[in-house]
Amino acid sequence: MKFNGTDAYVATDDLKVAVNAAVALERPLLVKGEPGTGKTELARQVSAALGLPMLEWHIKSTTKAQQGLYEYDAVSRLRDSQLGDPRVQDVSNYIRKGKLWQAFEAESRVVLLIDEIDKADIEFPNDLLQELDKMEFHVYETGETIRARQRPIVIITSNNEKELPDAFLRRCFFHYIRFPDMETMRKIVEVHHPGIKEQLLTTALTQFYEIRETGGLKKKPSTSEVLDWLKLLLAEDLSAEDLKRDGANALPRLHGALLKNEQDVHLFERLAFMARGQR
């Protein structure tokens, strides 16, 4: 069972090695990188490439680790008991299975995505240590122990918003997705916008990387944003000539696809103003 990328996803050699190493070691793959570099999409493509079902657990700031195992709805059970509902005799009627439980009881091996784990409370990763390590957990309300029939391929993503505990990191295989270089980005663009004119692509990517390297940017544009930008350029039927900028107009065409806050827009406006003043 080897991951070699897909036609819809450009995976670098080191990323393929990381995925296959995590599978071989039967450890969660922890993937970090800038937002928009394809971390979440990686899990979907691993699922597609290996022909395995996929479960997605998207983490929010309010998500608790227990929700990944199960949730017991005591309120509904109390209400039903007051109404004389016979369902209250079986506590399992009030247990909602979480994504880990679903992955553990699946008939075949699955890919489990735990997306943006760094959004949750700092204790969240530690609360999942035993379950991810032993691939089992106890349900106190029913007294049963849930064990994985097949060990799922667990892919965990993080945008590096907060540090993860050392004990959690020790149990993972780690990979950082570096921002694509120009050549890799060309391959990514070809997947999403096949047949784009070479001159337009070269001019657009040159501008894109110049923008990313501009000092003082609050948010650098990502892979997903350059793909959106190119989609707009193609929709507007713009040419490489149309993208040319001068000192009086430092903002790129359709810059709203690339610059996502007013500070960065003002930065380029100031650069244009300074360029005009130097004439």
Side-chain angles (χ1 to χ4, degrees):
M1 187 175 282
K2 288 279 187 181
F3 175 68
N4 293 308
T6 69
D7 293 340
Y9 188 88
V10 177
T12 56
D13 289 341
D14 58 341
L15 180 55
K16 295 174 192 175
V17 168
V19 171
N20 292 319
V23 172
L25 291 171
E26 295 188 328
R27 288 188 177 275
L29 173 63
L30 174 61
V31 185
K32 290 187 178 183
E34 288 183 33
T37 49
K39 300 184 297 297
T40 302
E41 187 61 25
L42 169 66
R44 295 174 182 142
Q45 296 301 323
V46 169
S47 168
L50 301 182
L52 300 177
M54 180 171 170
L55 294 170
E56 300 186 29
W57 185 16
H58 298 285
I59 307 304
K60 302 178 181 178
S61 59
T62 55
T63 303
K64 302 300 181 185
Q66 180 65 32
Q67 293 172 297
L69 308 179
Y70 68 92
E71 291 182 273
Y72 170 53
D73 191 351
V75 174
S76 291
R77 192 182 187 202
L78 175 61
R79 182 194 62 216
D80 288 348
S81 68
Q82 292 170 339
L83 296 173
D85 193 323
R87 295 172 69 249
V88 300
Q89 302 303 319
D90 185 355
V91 69
S92 64
N93 289 324
Y94 302 92
I95 289 179
R96 186 183 300 115
K97 298 176 182 179
K99 296 297 182 182
L100 264 75
W101 189 330
Q102 295 173 40
F104 286 4
E105 73 173 4
E107 293 292 338
S108 60
R109 198 175 196 185
V110 303
V111 174
L112 173 63
L113 168 66
I114 304 177
D115 199 28
E116 298 189 332
I117 194 172
D118 52 324
K119 279 188 175 180
D121 183 86
I122 189 63
E123 290 304 319
F124 180 95
N126 281 334
D127 291 343
L128 287 177
L129 286 180
Q130 291 295 100
E131 290 76 10
L132 290 176
D133 205 22
K134 294 187 176 181
M135 286 286 147
E136 66 178 44
F137 63 90
H138 187 70
V139 183
Y140 295 98
E141 290 77 7
T142 64
E144 62 184 321
T145 297
I146 306 300
R147 295 183 178 87
R149 295 180 182 178
Q150 308 250 8
R151 195 176 187 96
I153 296 173
V154 181
I155 298 179
I156 303 170
T157 72
S158 168
N159 287 329
N160 249 349
E161 290 184 9
K162 62 170 70 84
E163 288 296 320
L164 298 173
D166 289 345
F168 179 78
L169 294 175
R170 281 197 299 272
R171 288 166 168 82
C172 298
F173 189 93
F174 173 76
H175 181 74
Y176 183 85
I177 296 183
R178 295 183 181 86
F179 195 82
D181 57 23
M182 181 82 81
E183 193 54 41
T184 304
M185 187 65 80
R186 283 178 175 275
K187 295 176 183 176
I188 293 171
V189 171
E190 181 60 30
V191 168
H192 294 269
H193 304 298
I196 188 170
K197 291 179 181 177
E198 176 62 28
Q199 191 174 4
L200 173 62
L201 179 58
T202 299
T203 302
L205 289 185
T206 299
Q207 278 193 23
F208 170 71
Y209 280 98
E210 286 174 354
I211 292 168
R212 275 187 57 86
E213 292 164 11
T214 301
L217 268 187
K218 184 175 181 181
K219 182 192 179 305
K220 294 181 178 182
S222 68
T223 305
S224 61
E225 286 155 347
V226 73
L227 292 174
D228 285 346
W229 186 48
L230 287 167
K231 184 177 181 179
L232 286 174
L233 298 181
L234 292 169
E236 294 291 326
D237 198 24
L238 298 179
S239 66
E241 192 69 23
D242 294 323
L243 296 187
K244 284 189 175 179
R245 295 182 293 170
D246 54 33
N249 185 21
L251 283 168
R253 295 288 294 270
L254 300 166
H255 63 270
L258 297 174
L259 304 175
K260 296 303 177 80
N261 60 67
E262 63 276 14
Q263 293 97 317
D264 290 344
V265 173
H266 291 159
L267 172 63
F268 279 88
E269 289 173 342
R270 286 196 302 272
L271 291 174
F273 179 77
M274 291 166 60
R276 288 196 297 270
Q278 292 172 0
R279 288 184 174 182

